[in-house]
Amino acid sequence: MIENHMKKIKQISFVLFFFLIGATTSFGQIDRIEEAIEADNLKRALKLAEDAEEDDLLKKSPEVYFLKAQIYFKIIRHEFLSAKYEDALKLGIKSLEKGKYKADGEFFPEYLPLVDSFVKLNNEKGALEYKINKFTKAIKTYEKSFELNGDMSAIYWRGKSYMMSFDTTYGEKEYNKVIVYCNEQKAEGNDVDPVMSDAFVYYADKYWQAQKYDSANVYLESARKVFGGNPRIDYFQKEVTKQQINQLPPSSLMMEKIKYILNIFPTDTVFVKKENALYLYLMRNHFDNGDLVALDTMLASFAMEKVDRHGSKLLNQYKKSDQFIEEKVENVLWKLVKYYSKFDYPEISNYIAQRYIESTAKEKTPEMLQARYLVIIDYAAKSHSLKLANQLLLHAEETFGQQQSLTALRQSLISKNSSKELSTSEQGALYSMMMKENDMSNLSEDVQKIVETYIESLVRDKDYRTAKTVIVNHLKAQPDNPIWDRKRDYLAKEDFYHNYYMTRVKEEEVAGMTVGGFTWNGSKATCNPGDIDPKIQQKVEDRINYFRRQAGVPDIYLDPELNDWCQKAALMMESNKTLSHTPDSRWSCYTDEGADAARYSLLTKGATTTMAVTSFFADNANASVGNRRWLLYPNGLALGHGSTENACAIWASDDSGSVDSNTYKERFVAWPPEGTLPKMMVFNYWSFSINQELKNSKVTMSIDGKNIPVTMQPFEDGHRLPTLVWQPSLDVKSMTGDTQVLVNVDLPNGRRYTYTIKILDFDPIGY
């Protein structure tokens, strides 16, 4: 028994002896691989590593594969061997993966730099594949990099490759991983590759295009926290904010957005100017609404910001875009006084001037304030403008009454400026001063000459409305002075020529070429509404305002959005070959915007653009002249226009003007209007509108004392102001020479309105 036991021990010892000899031999093989690598004998090292892989014991060792990967890395870097072993990168990565598997899913720490080196090489391969548009291959390559060491730049480029393959679903998944990673790294205080900011910018752009500006800004703000500023983040942050504020009404919210962007880009020209423009609008809005506490608060804030910028190291950059920067608060206020005066907001200009005077006077006694006004008015006349000086002078008189010192200052300013060559606005200020000092019914020859020069300057500057007001005032004061009647004729011809005749949209032959005309660029077949050249839209606006100016009502403007809606309405009329204010969804080329515009617009077929405007004002086929009444409504302000080949829509249902509702209880709106008018503007139906009861009114007309028979049309309510319509027995076309027509309108309440129309026998061709 003992002998058998000893025999077994000898057998086990023999096996262990040979196992240890084998293991020693195997691990000696690893030493030999390392020695070959150290000696840069890469072929031998690779042969030893391959032999080790065949060894039953060594093939289980992770180190064999890590060493083999190291060999392949050196081969890749070798000048000659790299060409022979073209798959060295692929094989090296495969060896790393095997070693990791043998090591239970972990790399030995000493080989981690090697792993990183392979990832870097692999990413370079992916970059080349991306560059030559092999995006599918690049995706797989970058995936391998991430599997090796979790490289997030590989995930970024993998996402970008998906995006370039138009696979946004997978691309966004990768970008989301990148964004989470970047935010985590920032929280830990680590730097991140700036290229990854593109993942944030992608989402910013996506939400920007969808007009989800707040969401876009979330990504941009996050990107800025991680990466700071870079050209792409800066670009998108500015553009998104620009569009965001364009979608907002002028408000404190808009100011908040502007100030946010100025914190990042303090001297950005666009946003500095937008901030100023918004301040100026909001301050004027507070003043118009009587909220003087809010105005004073905003004035103080505005002034202090400008003073702070003056003390900034960025002053020279600020000065390029901010005209209000000053060293002292009172100087900022004075700049605001000049600004609002320049752009014809005298009331708020005077209010701020009073604040300026109070802040610069030694004492706030009436005497000291008045003395300060005298100094400032004289200074304004010398250094800035006579217009501002006159404005402040009138305000001082309202505040302190007709003081001798103020009267003497006015006379001095008149004397100093009467013989000077002045701009039109300065002439207007001189005219205002002179009318304060002169009796309009008894003007001296010198004063009359100055008035005539002022009227000519207004007409030259195409300020026909002010010119007409001046002429009419002097006509009333001196009805027997022929100069004012001649000036009125001159004005009527100039206004007609520039704002009616020259607003034609007519195709003509010039130097053998066809020019002008309106050609619709839309399509019924594709339901494309087309668009209208801004120059033609301007002609439409000018012609509407020509008619309104003659009738004595304020100008309108064409709103771009309403223009687009009217264009869609005109397309519907064109496509369906009929007119309707209530089209339904079964109509060809139906749109909600077009249907809305049809509901609130004047519609016509056969006349488009400016020809349609004249057709609506003439209203020769409409005994109620409803179209004319809509277009002459005094409180209309924002209109729209759209025209196709044969249809036109003009949005006229607007009530957003600022006309006092009581104004037209006394003032009337007539066509033909009181005053002077070319005969081609006298249409079949005459009209008289006023905000009073007009039923059972009576109209009489005469020429040189001879009555003209009139046919009254049935009174029709609606269409804005109450209106009388009649048709006189008058052949205007056959008239030769100028003709004076007297009109009397007797209302049921006993009130009589009398006015005269001078019909000019005027041909604009060759004028």
Side-chain angles (χ1 to χ4, degrees):
M1 180 70 72
I2 293 174
E3 289 179 358
N4 288 338
H5 183 69
M6 291 300 294
K7 187 177 181 179
K8 286 183 180 179
I9 290 174
K10 286 181 179 180
Q11 289 174 342
I12 292 171
S13 298
F14 182 79
V15 172
L16 284 172
F17 173 75
F18 282 99
F19 175 80
L20 290 171
I21 291 174
T24 301
T25 304
S26 296
F27 289 111
Q29 182 83 340
I30 291 175
D31 290 338
R32 287 191 290 276
I33 295 171
E34 290 177 337
E35 289 171 1
I37 293 172
E38 187 70 25
D40 238 10
N41 191 346
L42 301 180
K43 285 186 176 181
R44 172 173 166 73
L46 184 58
K47 179 66 172 64
L48 290 170
E50 289 172 345
D51 289 345
E53 284 183 302
E54 299 298 322
D55 184 277
D56 290 338
L57 185 61
L58 285 177
K59 69 181 180 183
K60 298 178 181 179
S61 170
E63 190 140 18
V64 170
Y65 302 98
F66 293 148
L67 288 171
K68 189 177 181 183
Q70 188 174 353
I71 296 165
Y72 278 123
F73 183 78
K74 281 182 168 284
I75 287 173
I76 293 169
R77 294 299 191 189
H78 196 279
E79 184 177 0
F80 301 109
L81 291 178
S82 58
K84 183 177 180 181
Y85 294 91
E86 294 180 354
D87 290 337
L89 176 62
K90 179 180 178 181
L91 294 171
I93 290 173
K94 191 173 181 181
S95 294
L96 285 174
E97 290 174 327
K98 282 186 178 180
K100 182 180 179 181
Y101 174 75
K102 301 292 184 182
D104 295 327
E106 297 288 342
F107 290 112
F108 290 175
E110 61 267 30
Y111 291 105
L112 289 177
L114 178 64
V115 175
D116 292 342
S117 297
F118 265 101
V119 167
K120 183 178 179 181
L121 289 174
N122 196 54
N123 285 348
E124 289 174 2
K125 176 188 174 188
L128 179 61
E129 291 166 341
Y130 178 90
K131 187 176 181 180
I132 60 176
N133 300 331
K134 293 184 177 180
F135 302 118
T136 303
K137 285 190 174 182
I139 289 167
K140 292 179 179 179
T141 298
Y142 285 121
E143 181 180 14
K144 187 66 69 177
S145 290
F146 179 72
E147 288 173 353
L148 283 172
N149 72 347
D151 180 53
M152 288 304 296
S153 66
I155 290 296
Y156 163 75
W157 284 105
R158 182 172 153 85
K160 192 149 187 166
S161 299
Y162 273 123
M163 292 297 184
M164 294 301 292
S165 304
F166 302 103
D167 189 343
T168 56
T169 301
Y170 280 99
E172 287 184 357
K173 285 182 179 179
E174 302 300 89
Y175 275 1
N176 286 335
K177 296 174 187 175
V178 169
I179 289 170
V180 170
Y181 166 78
C182 290
N183 288 327
E184 289 174 346
Q185 292 300 303
K186 177 62 180 176
E188 294 172 8
N190 300 324
D191 292 333
V192 183
D193 186 350
V195 75
M196 295 190 188
S197 64
D198 270 6
F200 294 82
V201 171
Y202 164 79
Y203 278 106
D205 187 33
K206 176 182 178 179
Y207 286 114
W208 176 29
Q209 299 300 332
Q211 297 186 1
K212 296 180 179 179
Y213 304 114
D214 287 333
S215 296
N217 268 321
V218 166
Y219 282 96
L220 290 169
E221 289 164 14
S222 182
R224 190 168 293 282
K225 289 177 183 176
V226 176
F227 304 98
N230 69 37
R232 293 204 73 210
I233 295 173
D234 291 353
Y235 168 78
F236 277 96
Q237 192 117 47
K238 290 179 183 179
E239 292 304 313
V240 168
T241 305
K242 281 180 195 175
Q243 292 211 8
Q244 187 174 24
I245 63 178
N246 286 341
Q247 301 291 323
L248 293 172
S251 60
S252 57
L253 178 58
M254 182 190 287
M255 183 67 80
E256 180 185 316
K257 300 295 181 185
I258 292 173
K259 286 191 178 298
Y260 169 78
I261 206 75
L262 283 174
N263 283 332
I264 304 170
F265 312 104
T267 61
D268 184 85
T269 300
V270 171
F271 286 101
V272 169
K273 289 182 176 179
K274 282 184 178 291
E275 180 192 41
N276 279 345
L278 183 57
Y279 260 123
L280 293 166
Y281 172 85
L282 292 176
M283 286 191 287
R284 183 162 53 87
N285 199 44
H286 288 320
F287 179 82
D288 291 343
N289 292 331
D291 192 350
L292 301 184
V293 173
L295 172 58
D296 287 341
T297 301
M298 189 164 281
L299 272 174
S301 173
F302 180 82
M304 285 307 302
E305 282 184 19
K306 303 310 169 187
V307 172
D308 287 344
R309 285 180 182 175
H310 188 277
S312 167
K313 294 179 181 179
L314 302 172
L315 174 61
N316 290 333
Q317 291 173 265
Y318 276 126
K319 280 185 173 180
K320 295 176 183 178
S321 55
D322 195 341
Q323 61 179 305
F324 292 100
I325 290 177
E326 284 291 340
E327 189 174 3
K328 297 179 180 179
V329 167
E330 56 265 31
N331 294 345
V332 178
L333 295 178
W334 177 243
K335 281 195 169 181
L336 285 170
V337 170
K338 293 190 293 184
Y339 172 86
Y340 283 118
S341 176
K342 179 181 178 181
F343 292 100
D344 295 322
Y345 298 111
E347 291 84 5
I348 187 172
S349 177
N350 288 336
Y351 179 84
I352 299 173
Q354 189 169 337
R355 291 287 179 267
Y356 169 76
I357 294 289
E358 290 170 354
S359 67
T360 57
K362 292 181 180 179
E363 297 178 24
K364 293 185 180 180
T365 63
E367 293 77 18
M368 294 298 289
L369 293 174
Q370 183 179 328
R372 185 66 180 145
Y373 263 105
L374 290 170
V375 172
I376 293 303
I377 292 167
D378 187 56
Y379 170 75
K382 290 177 180 176
S383 66
H384 187 62
S385 75
L386 196 60
K387 175 185 175 183
L388 176 57
N390 180 56
Q391 172 198 305
L392 295 175
L393 183 56
L394 292 172
H395 181 62
E397 288 180 334
E398 290 175 3
T399 305
F400 303 106
Q402 296 288 337
Q403 300 292 324
Q404 178 58 38
S405 58
L406 296 173
T407 301
L409 179 56
R410 175 184 289 106
Q411 292 169 348
S412 171
L413 293 175
I414 291 172
S415 175
K416 290 176 182 177
N417 290 280
S418 293
S419 58
K420 289 182 179 179
E421 288 191 13
L422 303 173
S423 66
T424 304
S425 65
E426 300 290 87
Q427 289 179 50
L430 179 61
Y431 170 77
S432 174
M433 290 181 179
M434 293 175 68
M435 292 309 102
K436 268 276 196 178
E437 297 293 320
N438 289 272
D439 180 2
M440 288 183 69
S441 63
N442 186 28
L443 299 178
S444 69
E445 188 174 327
D446 289 343
V447 172
Q448 180 171 305
K449 191 65 179 174
I450 290 172
V451 176
E452 290 180 53
T453 302
Y454 176 45
I455 292 170
E456 289 166 5
S457 296
L458 288 168
V459 175
R460 184 189 61 239
D461 290 354
K462 295 183 170 53
D463 187 355
Y464 304 107
R465 193 177 290 276
T466 303
K468 184 175 182 179
T469 299
V470 173
I471 292 169
V472 169
N473 286 340
H474 285 279
L475 259 174
K476 290 178 180 177
Q478 294 181 302
D480 298 325
N481 188 341
I483 187 64
W484 308 124
D485 195 47
R486 289 199 298 271
K487 289 293 180 187
R488 186 166 65 172
D489 291 353
Y490 160 67
L491 172 65
K493 292 175 181 179
E494 286 285 318
D495 199 356
F496 177 82
Y497 179 78
H498 288 287
N499 294 294
Y500 186 86
Y501 186 71
M502 294 305 292
T503 59
R504 293 168 301 151
V505 179
K506 182 181 179 182
E507 189 177 277
E508 297 177 302
E509 290 290 327
V510 178
M513 297 177 62
T514 301
V515 297
F518 165 65
T519 302
W520 179 45
N521 60 6
S523 167
K524 293 185 289 184
T526 61
C527 289
N528 175 15
D531 54 21
I532 296 179
D533 188 318
K535 292 179 181 178
I536 292 180
Q537 292 289 32
Q538 187 61 55
K539 287 186 174 185
V540 171
E541 183 177 298
D542 288 346
R543 185 168 287 196
I544 293 173
N545 283 331
Y546 168 77
F547 283 102
R548 289 177 66 90
R549 186 163 51 251
Q550 307 317 305
V553 297
D555 286 354
I556 59 88
Y557 71 92
L558 294 181
D559 179 90
E561 183 177 27
L562 295 181
N563 289 344
D564 290 342
W565 289 24
C566 287
Q567 194 64 28
K568 292 176 181 178
L571 168 66
M572 291 165 64
M573 308 304 141
E574 178 86 29
S575 180
N576 293 278
K577 298 181 180 180
T578 188
L579 302 178
S580 173
H581 292 293
T582 56
D584 63 42
S585 57
R586 292 171 294 179
W587 274 43
S588 172
C589 298
Y590 176 89
T591 57
D592 290 335
E593 294 93 339
D596 209 29
R599 187 175 299 110
Y600 297 108
S601 296
L602 311 179
L603 304 173
T604 189
K605 288 194 301 181
T608 61
T609 64
T610 57
M611 292 178 286
V613 172
T614 300
S615 174
F616 287 133
F617 274 102
D619 241 1
N620 286 329
N622 185 3
S624 69
V625 295
N627 296 315
R628 180 193 301 172
R629 290 158 68 174
W630 280 102
L631 287 174
L632 285 179
Y633 179 56
N635 210 41
L637 178 62
L639 274 60
H641 160 255
S643 284
T644 55
E645 187 174 358
N646 297 293
C648 175
I650 294 182
W651 185 298
S653 181
D654 181 67
D655 197 19
S656 61
S658 57
V659 175
D660 189 324
S661 59
N662 290 319
T663 300
Y664 291 89
K665 283 185 176 293
E666 291 299 319
R667 188 185 303 174
F668 63 86
V669 180
W671 199 272
E674 181 176 20
T676 305
L677 197 72
K679 69 179 185 180
M680 69 177 294
M681 293 290 93
V682 180
F683 306 123
N684 292 344
Y685 293 111
W686 292 38
S687 58
F688 175 96
S689 304
I690 196 167
N691 197 14
Q692 293 190 43
E693 176 58 58
L694 292 182
K695 285 183 180 178
N696 302 317
S697 294
K698 183 180 179 182
V699 176
T700 57
M701 293 173 55
S702 62
I703 298 177
D704 296 330
K706 295 180 180 179
N707 285 335
I708 301 169
V710 301
T711 302
M712 298 299 297
Q713 301 303 310
F715 181 80
E716 188 174 314
D717 267 326
H719 313 300
R720 296 302 191 186
L721 288 177
T723 300
L724 296 173
V725 183
W726 66 93
Q727 192 170 17
S729 181
L730 193 65
D731 186 4
V732 177
K733 289 182 181 179
S734 64
M735 286 181 177
T736 56
D738 300 341
T739 305
Q740 298 265 11
V741 179
L742 179 69
V743 178
N744 293 308
V745 179
D746 293 296
L747 273 54
N749 61 9
R751 179 73 183 273
R752 165 171 279 200
Y753 287 88
T754 299
Y755 57 100
T756 302
I757 300 139
K758 184 177 183 180
I759 302 174
L760 291 178
D761 185 11
F762 170 61
D763 184 355
I765 299 176
Y767 176 68

